[in-house]
Amino acid sequence: MRWAAPPLALWVRGPALLDDALRRAVSVVGARSATAYGEHVASEFGYGLAEESVTVVSGAAYGIDGAAHRGALAGHGTTVAVLACGVDLSYPAAHTALLDRIAKEGAVVSEYAPGTPPAKHRFLVRNRLIAAMGLGTVVVEAGVRSGARNTAGSATALGKILLAVPGSVASAMSHGCHELLRTGAATLACSVPEILEAVGQIGELAPVAAAPKRPTDGLGEQALRVHDALSGRAGRSPEQVAAESGVPLDRVRALLPELELTGLAARGEEGWTRVRS
């Protein structure tokens, strides 16, 4: 990358060995002022990735970063926090307990020597390390101009896989993700299996979402036509059902009791009605 040289060294606080931890790792980033939706998704992703023995890399910031770290810790997995200050400092201060737990179970990493205070330009430089450490980067929420978009740009420049999570078109925190998806810069990510499919080994495919089952799925063509010809309110005679469905009357008279046995039709004083569809 032209604008940032490789780090001269990395300081690490924690028991995790980076060589091992980053062999199968995903970076999860997003807005600091995240919505409840974004934090929920980041936490679920962190938890799900941890369950699949995938290391979660993020920046320990408020919002999406913190939620991803917490999710990974809840899933008893390894998580790596990359800081824009020395590893002996806690930034943000409100995440001191979180950083201490990450340092106890995973790793807190920085290219800045201990004692180095955080600075605005260091966050942008730090972002390239977050992108570099994962096999891919998932942007959960991001404004059109944001640090998460900067990390996304670093991931693309490094030739890493970039994924983005869709959100509400009315949410400013999803505009950056939607722009990445619209321009083709990122691949859609809606679940942990989809993330693993994008960054994993050949053959690690996400399951195809099954269509919801309906009570009428097992019906034959004529039975389905008879069922559709019934009304949920007014009763209909077999003759009316035959005329509506185009199924012969004798066949209608045979199918209606079958539909009644399966709970899809009911016979009343005014005729046959549909129970549910």
Side-chain angles (χ1 to χ4, degrees):
M1 297 173 65
R2 297 179 181 179
W3 57 270
L8 296 176
L10 291 177
W11 279 263
V12 181
R13 181 164 68 103
L17 301 176
L18 291 187
D19 282 352
D20 294 334
L22 300 180
R23 280 196 177 92
R24 201 162 181 256
V26 169
S27 302
V28 180
V29 299
R32 285 178 171 81
S33 53
T35 66
Y37 159 77
E39 291 195 10
H40 172 75
V41 171
S43 179
E44 289 294 306
F45 280 4
Y47 186 92
L49 289 167
E51 283 197 316
E52 297 295 332
S53 301
V54 176
T55 298
V56 175
V57 180
S58 198
Y62 293 125
I64 298 302
D65 290 15
H69 287 306
R70 291 188 186 94
L73 291 169
H76 304 288
T78 300
T79 186
V80 174
V82 186
L83 304 185
C85 59
V87 296
D88 58 330
L89 303 179
S90 293
Y91 188 86
H95 279 182
T96 298
L98 174 62
L99 285 165
D100 287 345
R101 187 177 173 192
I102 294 172
K104 183 179 179 181
E105 302 179 27
V108 177
V109 180
S110 178
E111 64 182 302
Y112 299 107
T116 304
K120 185 175 181 179
H121 72 277
R122 292 190 180 119
F123 287 96
L124 296 178
V125 175
R126 178 276 307 267
N127 289 345
R128 82 195 193 286
L129 291 184
I130 296 177
M133 287 182 176
L135 296 171
T137 294
V138 182
V139 183
V140 178
E141 281 190 323
V144 175
R145 297 185 63 181
S146 61
R149 284 294 301 272
N150 175 263
T151 307
S154 296
T156 301
L158 290 167
K160 299 284 187 173
I161 295 166
L162 181 62
L163 302 102
V165 177
S168 169
V169 295
S171 173
M173 288 299 100
S174 288
H175 288 178
C177 291
H178 294 164
E179 184 67 11
L180 291 172
L181 293 168
R182 186 186 68 81
T183 59
T187 301
L188 185 73
C190 296
S191 66
V192 169
E194 290 178 359
I195 296 171
L196 296 178
E197 180 181 88
V199 306
Q201 298 177 350
I202 294 175
E204 196 168 10
L205 301 178
V208 177
K213 292 185 177 181
R214 295 176 295 183
T216 56
D217 281 348
L219 297 181
E221 180 185 353
Q222 287 188 330
L224 186 60
R225 284 161 57 187
V226 168
H227 181 265
D228 289 343
L230 294 172
S231 169
R233 298 177 181 177
R236 291 180 175 173
S237 67
E239 290 78 10
Q240 289 174 313
V241 174
E244 179 72 22
S245 66
V247 177
L249 180 58
D250 59 342
R251 185 65 180 142
V252 169
R253 285 174 171 156
L255 287 170
L256 286 171
E258 292 182 14
L259 292 174
E260 183 179 27
L261 289 174
T262 57
L264 293 172
R267 177 166 34 190
E269 294 181 359
E270 298 180 357
W272 292 87
T273 56
R274 183 194 307 151
V275 174
R276 64 174 183 264
S277 57

